[in-house]
Amino acid sequence: MGRFLLRRLASAAVVLFTVSVLTFLIFEVIPNGNPALRLAGRTATPANIAAVEKAYGFNKPVYVQYLKTMEEVFTGRIVSYAQNLNVVSQLRQDLPVTASLVLGAAVVWLVLGIVLGLTAGLHAGGPIDKAITVLNFLGISAPSFVIGYVLIYLLSFKLHVFPSSGYVGLSDPLGWADHLVMPWFSLAILYTGIYSQVLRASVVDTLSEDHVRTAKAKGLSRRRVLVHHVLRTSLIPIVSLSGLDIAAVLGGSAIIIEVVFNLPGIGNYASQAIGALDVPPVLVITLFGAFAVVIFSTVADILYAALDPRIRATGSR
Amino acid sequence: MTALLEVEHLRVSFRTEEGVLQAVDDVSFSLGRGELLGIVGESGSGKSVTAMTLLGLTRGPNANISGRALLGDLDLVAASEHRLEHVRGRRVAMVFQDPMTALNPVQRVGDQIVEQVRAHEPVGRREAMDRAVALLDRVGIPRARQRARSYPHEFSGGMRQRVMIAMALSCSPEILIADEPTTALDVTTQAQILAEIKTLREQTGVGVLLITHDLGVIAEVADRVVVMYAGRVVEQGSVEEIFYDPRHPYTWGLLGSAPRLDKPRPERLPTIPGSPPSLLHPPLGCRFAPRCAWRFEACSSEPDLKSDGPEAGDHLGRCWLGLGTARERRVVGGTIGLPVRAPAGASRRPGDETAP
Amino acid sequence: MTAPAGDAVGPLLELDHLRMLFPVREAGGKRAHVHAVDDVSVAVGEGETLGLVGESGCGKTTLARCAVRLLKPTAGTVRFGGHDITSLGPRSLRPYRAQMQIVFQDPQGSLNPRKRVGQIIGAGLRLAGGGRGDDGRVGRLLNQVGLAPEHANRFPHEFSGGQRQRIGVARALAVNPRLIVLDEPVSALDVSIQAQVINLLDDLQEELGLSYIFVAHDLSVVRHVSDRIAVMYLGKVVELSPAEELYNRPVHPYTLSLLAAIPVPDPRLSRSRARHAVRGELPSPIDPPGGCRYHTRCPAATDLCRQVEPPLTVYPGGHQAACHHPLNVSSADIAAAVRSPASSRSAGPDLPAAPGPSASDLRESAAR
């Protein structure tokens, strides 16, 4: 296990390094990306611009700038060009919002996905299964922002059930949930569809396996066979999938929902920074996303090994 | 000896995309206390489906099951799922063919036995585990208490099968059904497992239903034998009767094609020409007739399963040939078998060894 | 039935001190190797059949695959028709591929379910430069294996197991091989069908002068087709003998126990035999026992057996065995015995000094 973690950490470091370099370079190459221009203001003279460049070090070679920026990132001193705000502290403010959104949505999609997938799998081939499959594909195909706006229209605008935008902190739990219900569902529908399909297939496979037949032959109750033998084995792939999906959403896919529902989270911050061609926040958020993916995928792998002892022994089934 | 199990006119069919598949067609037999009944047949004979139907494992929306299987006075065919849950693993236990896939791969071996015990008896976890360890020890697994914490993939094939046997015996069943328990194992391991089954039978008096395609296995352990072909019973009797006085040409074919290391090598391996019929559209009349060297006009209608007379007792056969004729014709080249119809060298032509 | 072991012509296939090791990661993270094939030398002559028998983990399948270069051996040489093909790359191996073919165990898994039988058989023809107008050849091949030319249009799932195996044989024959490796070709078939396929293989060998390596886990299956039989245990050849002699006069205790373990389809005979089941479990091929690998399960094992690996010894008549206390050999045999060049390099220098126990004594001590 120790060696496994070490190898993962090493590859994580490589990934993070590569991501940081690429992100940095992308912004160097973008036209109109000269931040000195904007920092200096609209009426800047060439002399002003030169002065700004010197002050910020924009006239130094790329790799020097890169190293300087990385230093700032890791010491938490990095400051955005546009608003002169400390990026890291801004991120710290925004993280709870995104986390509430993503983790809440994850709970929704896991619960719904498992229930629907299990039901479909148990009734495979029948009308219930077909109905659920249709629903799944609808969920997968509908873009999340469309769902978001439709929900806002119906539930906020027309029926006044939920507020249409904004975020309320956890100090007011009811308000917090109230503002997040629609975002949760908008984000979750796509994943519900996917997970439901995956679990359905997994259940159908597991049901036909010999050890399930043995469990029946042992005289175990139908419920025990279902939960302990069928579900437990079919859930294993779902566990590792969710690790990756949560990471990916945390790292960025939540952008759309945050913008639609005006939630002041990381995604929203990123969207604004990109629009303003503001490198530091984008860089830090990208790094954060990469970091999240690496951590979560490692956790998912560990969990998979914990759940399936065959992996521990041989590295494969 | 009162029968433990009486199977009467069991029929199992499945509705498939291509039509109705009659897997088991009017099968009857009985199993006595402490007896080992061997059901022998090849692929498509219906022997496994018969065994699984006894435990209700073939039930489903596309299955049609009729007949009776009396365990004492409980009819297993008609019993509700709920009642069957009390029979499975407790009064009738089953051992399957491939222990690697039959055991739950993500559950420790000891826990799997504990689970079965606690499903049927009000026993605490520790006591159930003690019982599991004792069982594993009894079937010959060294360091049983340690090994109870291992997963199935950490055992060899033979050990896994012993685990399955231990698990099956955990609630002291009256009947043990073993479906090809040694087919997936090496010859030497097979010998060990068969010895194990014999010992257990002697020690506990459990009735065993052993399903196999291997006549050698039957000869070694069975008391009585049922021979199945294309879903029907074609012959049944004591092991001596089946091996030394077989009545049905299919049995002759099976005996003839079984390799005999104790006899000199034959010039050409005896075989049964052709292959088993489709269960979707079984032939009319005797199902073995298309492959039988002695078919005659009467064979276009299906013979009944009957004995040859009062002295023949429980030795039943499903063939029109009279006993005298049968006894004459079954000997080919000094042993019981079917004649090789074509001369050597010409047998590769279609229609000879690969009949319709 | 066939030509004698190929000394006169030079063997068709020669395996020399072949080793095949597979790396494996143990639970503790250590690097280890599975000694699948550990210093094996065998040869197959033209028109000859070598039976290769052993139980799971003995290395027979691995050896067969090395022989046709489906695997690249870790050490040792493979010579086909006199040419060293051990280390050839895929392109250089191509001309040899058509000459050595393989038929697999699982008739269901080894045929592409989406292709028609004619395509499956014809694929080899096309690769060997057969060209398109060869439907006639496919039809002839189908006839040769006892099927009909019309079967070329059907899919594998429409056939029974025995018929699928015939298709596999036809596919192997399509490219006119000189050697066919049959990897447990009948294990998955019913006994009465096994005989059909074996008879077919027999006929084809006579007609086409093929050589076979017939791999099986069961001694009764190889008896009919083999000229010589090699018995393997944990990666080593423990006995190599002319076919019929192996059954009448087994020399190695393992062979004896294999024979004894095969159930006889005769109730009175089987119940009166002093049965001795082989004791114990197969040791791990990652860490095989020292000395004679069979010593952990052999009822006649001595200290010598535990310490020194026995050399493969040739007894008069060409019967070879690797055992310090060989069965069924007379003192005259012992005196005339010679060390086989196929013997493992790790084996001890001394040949057996005296005959071992008799087979019945062995059975008695095993039963105790």
Side-chain angles (χ1 to χ4, degrees):
Chain A
M1 184 56 94
R3 281 183 60 187
F4 169 70
L5 279 174
L6 264 161
R7 272 184 296 129
R8 284 318 213 96
L9 277 170
S11 68
V14 172
V15 168
L16 290 173
F17 174 67
T18 316
V19 168
S20 66
V21 168
L22 282 174
T23 315
F24 192 79
L25 284 177
I26 286 174
F27 280 85
E28 284 295 306
V29 180
I30 291 179
N32 288 335
N34 188 343
L37 272 174
R38 276 174 296 118
L39 280 168
R42 292 193 143 230
T43 55
T45 63
N48 289 12
I49 296 175
V52 169
E53 280 189 354
K54 195 141 178 247
Y56 278 86
F58 292 141
N59 53 350
K60 297 235 179 66
V62 180
Y63 62 87
V64 172
Q65 291 190 44
Y66 171 75
L67 286 171
K68 180 159 161 291
T69 312
M70 285 298 111
E71 190 202 328
E72 286 175 3
V73 170
F74 284 101
T75 55
R77 282 190 295 126
I78 184 157
V79 164
S80 81
Y81 299 153
Q83 298 156 331
N84 239 335
L85 292 166
N86 184 310
V87 177
V88 176
S89 67
Q90 184 68 29
L91 232 76
R92 234 182 262 148
Q93 266 186 304
D94 296 341
L95 188 54
V97 182
T98 305
S100 308
L101 171 65
V102 172
L103 295 175
V107 169
V108 170
W109 89 53
L110 279 174
V111 169
L112 274 182
I114 291 176
V115 167
L116 286 174
L118 184 62
T119 314
L122 288 176
H123 298 96
I128 302 180
D129 175 26
K130 297 200 174 105
I132 293 181
T133 306
V134 168
L135 277 176
N136 289 340
F137 277 97
L138 279 175
I140 295 173
S141 357
S144 50
F145 63 89
V146 167
I147 297 178
Y149 283 121
V150 166
L151 282 180
I152 291 179
Y153 180 73
L154 284 176
L155 296 179
S156 250
F157 196 58
K158 281 264 160 179
L159 298 176
H160 305 289
V161 179
F162 293 110
S164 65
S165 68
Y167 175 78
V168 170
L170 267 170
S171 46
D172 173 13
L174 226 58
W176 172 83
D178 211 22
H179 278 90
L180 281 172
V181 171
M182 290 196 300
W184 281 339
F185 278 86
S186 309
L187 187 52
I189 289 202
L190 164 66
Y191 294 98
T192 307
I194 296 176
Y195 279 53
S196 173
Q197 282 301 106
V198 170
L199 186 64
R200 176 202 174 276
S202 190
V203 166
V204 168
D205 270 345
T206 311
L207 277 176
S208 64
E209 278 182 20
D210 287 350
H211 68 86
V212 172
R213 182 181 60 181
T214 306
K216 248 182 118 181
K218 282 178 6 180
L220 303 177
S221 70
R222 194 178 143 79
R223 226 190 72 206
R224 177 142 184 122
V225 174
L226 215 60
V227 172
H228 214 260
H229 291 265
V230 177
L231 206 53
R232 206 177 150 226
T233 319
S234 340
L235 276 181
I236 296 178
I238 300 275
V239 163
S240 55
L241 251 187
S242 27
L244 285 170
D245 281 333
I246 293 179
V249 175
L250 255 181
S253 313
I255 269 189
I256 294 177
I257 299 295
E258 286 183 14
V259 168
V260 166
F261 287 94
N262 203 12
L263 298 166
I266 298 180
N268 216 335
Y269 185 29
S271 144
Q272 290 165 9
I274 292 170
L277 291 181
D278 191 357
V279 179
V282 176
L283 188 60
V284 177
I285 292 174
T286 313
L287 279 177
F288 169 75
F291 193 59
V293 170
V294 166
I295 297 232
F296 274 84
S297 70
T298 308
V299 168
D301 280 348
I302 294 177
L303 264 174
Y304 202 121
L307 288 172
D308 189 341
R310 292 172 287 178
I311 306 276
R312 278 184 248 160
T314 61
S316 65
R317 272 175 156 198
Chain B
M1 179 165 61
T2 37
L4 271 181
L5 179 72
E6 286 269 11
V7 177
E8 293 169 9
H9 304 294
L10 189 67
R11 286 192 165 81
V12 182
S13 63
F14 299 104
R15 214 185 22 235
T16 68
E17 279 169 5
E18 289 127 18
V20 174
L21 194 138
Q22 190 73 36
V24 176
D25 200 349
D26 194 9
V27 167
S28 309
F29 58 84
S30 66
L31 177 68
R33 214 182 166 281
E35 185 182 42
L36 197 148
L37 178 70
I39 302 188
V40 68
E42 300 183 299
S43 354
S45 59
K47 56 194 195 299
S48 284
V49 175
T50 303
M52 293 207 279
T53 304
L54 294 175
L55 277 182
L57 296 174
T58 50
R59 293 182 178 188
N62 292 321
N64 192 334
I65 306 173
S66 66
R68 300 202 307 167
L70 293 169
L71 179 69
D73 47 0
L74 172 65
D75 180 6
L76 297 173
V77 172
S80 65
E81 263 307 295
H82 184 72
R83 290 216 68 182
L84 268 188
E85 276 172 19
H86 289 285
V87 170
R88 292 175 188 147
R90 193 170 71 93
R91 296 183 67 189
V92 180
M94 193 153 172
V95 172
F96 295 95
Q97 176 172 347
D98 187 354
M100 185 63 237
T101 55
L103 290 171
N104 188 330
V106 302
Q107 197 179 17
R108 291 179 214 271
V109 149
D111 290 334
Q112 298 194 41
I113 303 182
V114 164
E115 184 184 40
Q116 176 165 357
V117 171
R118 297 188 76 201
H120 296 293
E121 297 180 25
V123 166
R125 218 183 170 276
R126 194 167 302 161
E127 194 186 320
M129 183 55 90
D130 286 339
R131 230 208 284 187
V133 171
L135 281 162
L136 289 173
D137 185 56
R138 216 259 228 77
V139 294
I141 296 194
R143 297 191 329 266
R145 188 157 291 270
Q146 257 177 290
R147 299 289 274 166
R149 292 182 50 76
S150 305
Y151 291 92
H153 66 262
E154 297 177 283
F155 289 89
S156 69
M159 285 288 162
R160 280 195 283 265
Q161 200 57 301
R162 289 171 195 263
V163 168
M164 280 233 66
I165 293 175
M167 192 158 72
L169 295 173
S170 59
C171 299
S172 309
E174 300 160 47
I175 297 179
L176 175 70
I177 304 180
D179 188 359
E180 307 246 27
T182 55
T183 305
L185 305 175
D186 286 328
V187 173
T188 50
T189 316
Q190 171 173 288
Q192 292 173 337
I193 299 289
L194 287 178
E196 198 63 61
I197 293 180
K198 271 198 286 192
T199 317
L200 288 166
R201 184 166 65 109
E202 280 154 31
Q203 286 175 353
T204 64
V206 66
V208 179
L209 204 62
L210 181 71
I211 295 152
T212 178
H213 63 269
D214 188 335
L215 279 175
V217 169
I218 295 279
E220 192 159 318
V221 296
D223 298 315
R224 285 176 45 245
V225 184
V226 169
V227 181
M228 286 185 69
Y229 183 79
R232 290 190 165 258
V233 173
V234 295
E235 187 162 2
Q236 71 185 51
S238 75
V239 70
E240 298 242 333
E241 284 163 347
I242 296 291
F243 279 87
Y244 302 121
D245 191 17
R247 275 206 51 209
H248 195 280
Y250 177 59
T251 316
W252 307 340
L254 277 185
L255 287 168
S257 53
R260 296 295 300 252
L261 288 185
D262 56 318
K263 301 234 161 90
R265 196 169 84 174
E267 185 53 47
R268 197 159 174 73
L269 277 182
T271 161
I272 304 179
S275 26
S278 148
L279 295 171
L280 283 167
H281 313 289
L284 299 166
C286 172
R287 298 203 179 158
F288 186 64
R291 304 169 78 188
C292 184
W294 290 282
R295 61 169 179 261
F296 58 109
E297 314 78 49
C299 304
S300 55
S301 67
E302 173 107 50
D304 293 325
L305 186 68
K306 59 188 199 318
S307 80
D308 283 310
E311 332 83 58
D314 289 322
H315 186 181
L316 309 174
R318 197 188 285 274
C319 182
W320 292 120
L321 287 174
L323 186 56
T325 330
R327 284 183 175 149
E328 258 174 50
R329 296 191 179 174
R330 70 186 172 205
V331 174
V332 176
T335 53
I336 294 175
L338 282 184
V340 176
R341 273 197 285 178
S347 58
R348 282 178 289 107
R349 246 145 255 138
D352 279 337
E353 281 190 307
T354 60
Chain C
M1 168 177 30
T2 47
D7 277 319
V9 198
L12 179 61
L13 177 75
E14 266 180 283
L15 303 172
D16 222 22
H17 295 290
L18 207 69
R19 296 186 85 201
M20 189 71 215
L21 266 54
F22 294 107
V24 92
R25 181 162 279 133
E26 288 243 276
K30 313 193 297 280
R31 259 278 143 118
H33 289 96
V34 173
H35 300 252
V37 175
D38 206 344
D39 201 342
V40 169
S41 310
V42 282
V44 185
E46 296 261 14
E48 185 194 16
T49 301
L50 175 71
L52 200 52
V53 174
E55 299 186 299
S56 3
C58 70
K60 58 194 191 295
T61 299
T62 309
L63 185 66
R65 291 182 184 205
C66 283
V68 292
R69 278 303 316 276
L70 274 178
L71 293 171
K72 181 161 179 290
T74 314
T77 52
V78 180
R79 258 190 300 274
F80 187 83
H83 301 117
D84 186 338
I85 63 170
T86 321
S87 315
L88 294 184
R91 201 163 289 159
S92 341
L93 267 177
R94 266 211 176 184
Y96 294 100
R97 289 275 180 233
Q99 301 186 52
M100 20 184 231
Q101 287 289 298
I102 184 164
V103 173
F104 296 98
Q105 171 176 1
D106 181 2
Q108 185 150 340
S110 58
L111 299 178
N112 188 333
R114 292 216 205 93
K115 297 223 151 137
R116 291 176 203 272
V117 164
Q119 287 172 291
I120 294 175
I121 298 177
L125 281 174
R126 277 187 294 278
L127 286 170
R132 301 187 102 249
D134 261 323
D135 284 335
R137 177 128 170 85
V138 170
R140 279 194 298 280
L141 282 165
L142 283 167
N143 265 329
Q144 230 176 355
V145 298
L147 295 170
E150 306 84 72
H151 290 151
N153 284 322
R154 299 206 205 146
F155 290 95
H157 68 260
E158 300 179 58
F159 294 91
S160 70
Q163 290 171 318
R164 279 189 223 133
Q165 246 352 13
R166 291 169 188 266
I167 295 170
V169 172
R171 171 173 65 179
L173 289 177
V175 292
N176 287 323
R178 293 164 75 187
L179 168 77
I180 303 186
V181 168
L182 302 148
D183 190 357
E184 306 230 36
V186 296
S187 315
L189 305 175
D190 287 325
V191 174
S192 60
I193 312 282
Q194 284 186 12
Q196 289 182 13
V197 176
I198 293 180
N199 284 338
L200 171 68
L201 290 169
D202 215 2
D203 294 336
L204 286 170
Q205 183 176 46
E206 236 180 80
E207 190 180 307
L208 303 170
L210 297 166
S211 302
Y212 290 145
I213 296 182
F214 196 113
V215 179
H217 63 264
D218 186 340
L219 276 172
S220 42
V221 172
V222 292
R223 185 184 182 198
H224 195 81
V225 271
S226 308
D227 296 304
R228 286 182 308 146
I229 300 178
V231 179
M232 286 186 74
Y233 185 79
L234 274 186
K236 293 204 178 274
V237 169
V238 297
E239 189 159 354
L240 177 62
S241 148
E244 226 13 55
E245 222 181 280
L246 191 81
Y247 299 89
N248 300 328
R249 224 180 58 121
V251 172
H252 196 283
Y254 178 57
T255 313
L256 183 67
S257 54
L258 270 187
L259 287 169
I262 298 174
V264 177
D266 186 324
R268 287 180 207 141
L269 202 61
S270 81
R271 290 167 206 221
S272 67
R273 271 197 318 178
R275 298 279 286 146
H276 78 271
V278 179
R279 290 192 310 221
E281 278 282 298
L282 196 69
S284 160
I286 297 175
D287 188 19
C292 171
R293 292 191 174 181
Y294 188 58
H295 83 252
T296 58
R297 306 169 82 188
C298 184
T302 60
D303 281 331
L304 180 63
C305 305
R306 286 182 260 274
Q307 283 153 20
V308 181
E309 184 185 329
L312 197 60
T313 312
V314 189
Y315 299 99
H319 197 141
Q320 303 181 28
C323 180
H324 292 300
H325 310 291
L327 310 167
N328 291 321
V329 288
S330 66
S331 315
D333 292 327
I334 294 276
V338 194
R339 186 192 178 101
S340 167
S343 187
S344 290
R345 295 197 175 115
S346 54
D350 300 317
L351 297 180
S358 71
S360 48
D361 285 340
L362 198 72
R363 276 194 213 108
E364 269 176 45
S365 59
R368 249 180 272 124

